Amino acid sequence: MDLCRAVFLMEEDASIPVDGKPLMLEAILGRPILERAAKQCMADGVQRFFVVCSPRFEEAVRACFPEDADVTLSEQKSELAAFLDTPDPVLVMTRAALPMAE
């Protein structure tokens, strides 16, 4: 991958049951999908991340990234637009998925 940035879009808060969580936070073999996806993206050279998620999931989302990772969490359209305003290619994941080697 020749990417420097990645965006993960979580489900809208209103669509998630009170006791539920976004699919990207569901575990596969003991680790959340988002953690696995972030790790693969970092291995492929992604340096900056933007996660569109509800504030109620911020702690769980942050736990999916290393402490020193450059991660922005927000629901604000203006912040996402600023993140996407780059000449570099950006990977945008609109649903739960695991990036695989090309």
Side-chain angles (χ1 to χ4, degrees), residues 25-84:
L25 295 176
E26 293 291 337
I28 293 179
L29 299 173
R31 291 178 34 210
I33 295 169
L34 179 60
E35 181 181 338
R36 291 176 178 279
K39 184 177 181 179
Q40 183 63 52
C41 286
M42 285 185 276
D44 289 339
V46 175
Q47 301 166 359
R48 296 185 64 201
F49 297 89
F50 191 102
V51 182
V52 178
C53 74
S54 165
R56 76 176 171 144
F57 300 112
E58 280 189 21
E59 187 176 325
V61 168
R62 287 208 185 275
C64 292
F65 293 89
E67 284 186 28
D68 62 342
D70 185 350
V71 182
T72 301
L73 281 70
S74 177
E75 291 182 307
Q76 299 299 312
K77 181 180 177 182
S78 60
E79 291 183 38
L80 176 58
F83 184 85
L84 293 171

